Amino acid sequence: MKKIIVRDLTKHFIRSDGSRLDVIGGLSFAVEEGEFVSILGPSGCGKSTLLNILAGIDHLSGGEILVGERPLLGGENGVKLGFVFQQPRLLNWRSIRENVRFPLEHGSLSRDEQWRLAQRYLELVKLKGFEDYFPQQLSGGMQQRVAIARALAIEPEVLLMDEPFSSLDELNARKMRAELIRIWRETGKTIIFVTHDIFEAVYLSNRLLVVTERPACVYESLTIDVDYPRNYDDDRLFEMAKKVGRFFVKMEEGHGA
Amino acid sequence: MHITLKIYSVLVLLIAWVVLSFVFSPQILPGPIPVFQAIGENLTSGDGFFHLYKTIFRVLLGLAIAMIIGSAFGIVMGISPKGEKFLESWVMVGLTIPAVVYAIITLLWFGLNDFAAIIAIGITAFPAVAINMWQGVKDIDMQLVTMAQAFQVPRRDLILKVVLPQTVPYILAATRYALGISWKIATTVELIGMSSGVGYMLNYWFGLFSMTQVLAWALSFTIVLLAIEFLLINPFEKRVTAWRAVVQV
């Protein structure tokens, strides 16, 4: 079943001098339920704008988005989407537990249920024992785990991730990627993962969409047929990464011509 | 450690006072003992409390006005670039005009009454509040605001749980500045045009050349201000910023 359908999505901003900046120019793709799709593109190509539109922070200029066959109307139509940002974006004055509970507080759940959910997802991201810590007492990787727990705690239909590991060092990022795959397989969530790191996209996803420079549209869609859990030394992943790399070179040439 | 250091600093000040009081005559600088005796007499006579109360009353109401107007200015200036351009010069002018000018103007406009005093205090102290709140609003982390929006947090929760906690340090700073300014302008207004309050008593004892009483009144109000700081503001600050202490360990 198609979980998300994006059709002919366009987005432009009007600059302060009145000129128009086209950020997304007719983007179409579909994501299956339970799929892990990466969106890979050069920095500043409008990937984050796409996620912001999906999350309801930004509005689309044209086209349509369906989530579970319902149209997405600026994020207020009952479709629950979990968001993990590039930075953890935690509330420093709240404990870890209270941070995970934060997006549940305005919902219909009882207090007990809110605490129970927060606890459950903190355990899922392996932060049991750190519930009463404050964010600044944790490492960057652990803070990002809190952010993932917070996004999962609302039990979203889709998890949106915007370069969540790009500010971590490579060793930590590898650990977090493996954890993310484990969490994805345990929860069966649909994940849309935005990144500019080719190998990260290849390692993580079922399918990856190569997106062009601004205005963004889908250049190529690739299925990665390698079983999970994947190994960093797997030659098939390397071959795939090389192939994707060649797309980028071709895209550049096409752009230059 | 911090507390003992504070006690030492007060002790050093007291010792310096005692030493200097031996150097100068009591008409120039009376020692701590006669000054504290005078404070005791003022308070037991019943009059003392009345004048202290009058000044505290004016200071607190003036402070409230300064906080309300100053916060409104600061928030508008922090949120809107147009508002910033429009209001910035007002705040700067407000800061530049000497407090005594406001005192004279309000006394001429409204007469020699509490209302004039409170308005003078409010106008004098509001620019300091506006500047702190302006900075506080500008320093709000917008990334946290978009985070909350992505999780569809309602507006009320967004303000109470994301925006307000970030501005607490600035609100506290604004309160401290404004309190200090309010008390200074309160005594000035009372000295010029009131027949009650600490400023009035200072003027009265100035007329009688009693250095001991002048110091006694000044010190009385200083003690009141310190009590407000250490019994109200400081414990509140400790409570809302408790997480910082934990993080720094």
Side-chain angles (χ1 to χ4, degrees), chain B residues 28-164:
Chain B
I28 304 286
L29 186 68
I33 293 167
V35 170
F36 278 102
Q37 265 172 354
I39 293 177
E41 280 161 23
N42 291 343
L43 293 184
T44 45
S45 75
D47 241 36
F49 276 113
F50 169 73
H51 291 291
L52 274 179
Y53 158 76
K54 275 304 226 185
T55 303
I56 293 169
F57 168 76
R58 290 166 190 151
V59 165
L60 290 185
L61 281 186
L63 178 68
I65 290 174
M67 291 302 286
I68 292 166
I69 300 176
S71 299
F73 268 61
I75 290 167
V76 170
M77 289 168 79
I79 289 172
S80 138
K82 277 182 192 158
E84 187 173 354
K85 284 205 182 81
F86 191 79
L87 295 178
E88 197 181 351
S89 50
W90 293 19
V91 171
M92 292 308 154
V93 169
L95 268 184
T96 320
I97 295 174
V100 67
V101 175
Y102 295 123
I104 292 169
I105 291 174
T106 52
L107 287 171
L108 286 176
W109 277 351
F110 305 116
L112 309 180
N113 53 42
D114 281 350
F115 182 74
I118 291 163
I119 296 296
I121 294 166
I123 293 175
T124 310
F126 104 87
V129 178
I131 284 177
N132 272 290
M133 296 304 290
W134 175 20
Q135 201 55 47
V137 172
K138 285 199 126 181
D139 282 355
I140 290 168
D141 186 349
M142 286 313 287
Q143 290 196 333
L144 292 180
V145 174
T146 49
M147 180 278 288
Q149 284 169 339
F151 285 107
Q152 290 167 29
V153 171
R155 211 180 163 72
R156 195 176 152 251
D157 278 23
L158 180 76
I159 288 166
L160 288 181
K161 295 176 182 171
V162 180
V163 174
L164 206 60

Side-chain angles (χ1 to χ4, degrees), chain A residues 75 89 92-93 105-106 134, chain B residues 143 146 151-152 154 161 165 243:
Chain A
R89 301 199 187 181
N92 286 333
W93 54 91
E105 286 168 1
H106 62 274
F134 287 97
Chain B
Q143 290 196 333
T146 49
F151 285 107
Q152 290 167 29
K161 295 176 182 171
W243 65 275

Side-chain angles (χ1 to χ4, degrees), chain B residues 180-192:
Chain B
I181 295 170
S182 297
W183 136 247
K184 284 172 196 157
I185 178 67
T187 45
T188 308
V189 179
E190 286 167 352
L191 196 146
I192 301 172

Side-chain angles (χ1 to χ4, degrees), chain A residues 1-7 9 27-35 37 39 50-51 53-55 60 64-72 79-82 156-161 189-193 207 209:
Chain A
M1 192 201 129
K2 299 257 186 287
K3 189 72 201 173
I4 292 190
I5 299 171
V6 174
R7 241 184 247 133
L9 178 72
L27 194 72
S28 299
F29 64 89
V31 180
E32 296 284 334
E33 170 114 56
E35 209 179 5
V37 172
I39 296 175
L50 170 66
L51 279 201
I53 291 171
L54 284 169
L60 48 79
E64 68 171 339
I65 299 172
L66 301 173
V67 181
E69 288 166 349
R70 282 163 293 162
L72 181 84
V79 179
K80 277 199 281 186
L81 301 165
E157 296 184 43
V158 179
L159 189 59
L160 306 170
M161 306 184 88
K189 290 277 179 245
T190 309
I191 298 182
I192 299 183
F193 189 99
R207 202 152 57 81
L209 304 171

Side-chain angles (χ1 to χ4, degrees), chain A residues 66-157:
Chain A
L66 301 173
V67 181
E69 288 166 349
R70 282 163 293 162
L72 181 84
L73 307 164
E76 255 308 328
N77 55 348
V79 179
K80 277 199 281 186
L81 301 165
F83 211 123
V84 181
F85 301 88
Q86 196 172 339
Q87 319 77 6
R89 301 199 187 181
L90 304 175
L91 306 175
N92 286 333
W93 54 91
R94 283 178 168 230
S95 71
I96 297 310
R97 199 201 310 263
E98 289 171 325
N99 262 287
V100 176
R101 182 180 160 236
F102 172 66
L104 301 171
E105 286 168 1
H106 62 274
S108 55
L109 298 173
S110 70
R111 265 173 169 270
D112 280 353
E113 268 176 295
Q114 293 172 12
W115 289 124
R116 199 179 48 75
L117 274 174
Q119 188 60 33
R120 176 157 143 221
Y121 286 100
L122 274 174
E123 283 172 22
L124 184 71
V125 299
K126 300 207 169 139
L127 280 176
K128 196 177 172 165
F130 291 95
E131 295 90 343
D132 294 322
Y133 281 58
F134 287 97
Q136 290 183 352
Q137 291 173 288
L138 304 186
S139 68
M142 287 164 98
Q143 289 188 26
Q144 204 53 292
R145 280 172 203 250
V146 179
I148 293 171
R150 177 178 62 191
L152 290 170
I154 64 168
E155 313 221 286
E157 296 184 43

